[in-house]
Amino acid sequence: MIKSELPHIISHEGDNNSYHWRLFISADLAFFKGHFPEQAVLPGITLVDWAVKLGCEAFGYSATVATLEVLKFQQLILPDTYVDLVIEHQAQKAKLIFSYRDQDKRFASGRIVIKPAWVDAATNIESDS
């Protein structure tokens, strides 16, 4: 199992509605090993993991995901690539809308629905009874 590791963050900026990171996807990341022997490719699940971690941290959520919606992987991310991760926050729906891109090139996108804190609290109360 590969330990979760964030890419190198070149820059970041944001506010309550959206956040933007410039990332460098180094060939040294463990995620490239064995995926695939002919041409190393960053796994899509890694992109989702990074969006969840960075988005939840930026907008103050625990990293408890209820569902993932409309995941799209348009282009492969190869080693030693620069990409932009943009996450928009829909607070009223507890959703994070993410996209990985570099100028006009789109790599991946989707929506992360965060599990509301009150659901966790209700679950804990029931399980403590």
Side-chain angles (χ1 to χ4, degrees):
M1 178 179 226
I2 297 174
K3 181 182 173 197
S4 182
E5 174 186 0
L6 290 172
H8 179 70
I9 299 172
I10 304 296
S11 64
H12 58 89
E13 62 183 352
D15 56 33
N16 291 335
N17 298 315
S18 67
Y19 221 87
H20 174 259
W21 293 264
R22 181 71 173 163
L23 307 173
F24 177 66
I25 315 301
S26 170
D28 296 336
L29 289 170
F31 306 109
F32 286 115
K33 292 180 177 67
H35 196 263
F36 293 96
E38 307 81 35
Q39 171 61 65
V41 173
L42 189 67
I45 192 65
T46 301
L47 297 173
V48 173
D49 179 56
W50 292 346
V52 168
K53 285 187 174 154
L54 291 171
C56 287
E57 182 180 308
F59 297 108
Y61 291 108
S62 68
T64 306
V65 175
T67 59
L68 298 170
E69 301 175 337
V70 197
L71 291 178
K72 295 180 183 177
F73 300 98
Q74 293 101 332
Q75 293 190 42
L76 301 175
I77 295 181
L78 304 177
D80 296 330
T81 300
Y82 288 90
V83 299
D84 295 309
L85 169 58
V86 177
I87 300 180
E88 296 175 23
H89 182 215
Q90 291 185 344
Q92 71 281 8
K93 296 180 180 180
K95 284 187 183 184
L96 302 175
I97 301 167
F98 72 90
S99 66
Y100 287 90
R101 54 186 173 223
D102 187 28
Q103 297 177 7
D104 292 338
K105 191 184 288 186
R106 293 186 60 94
F107 295 104
S109 61
R111 292 191 302 248
I112 303 162
V113 182
I114 305 300
K115 187 176 183 181
W118 61 267
V119 172
D120 288 337
T123 302
N124 290 337
I125 290 169
E126 290 176 9
S127 64
D128 291 342
S129 302

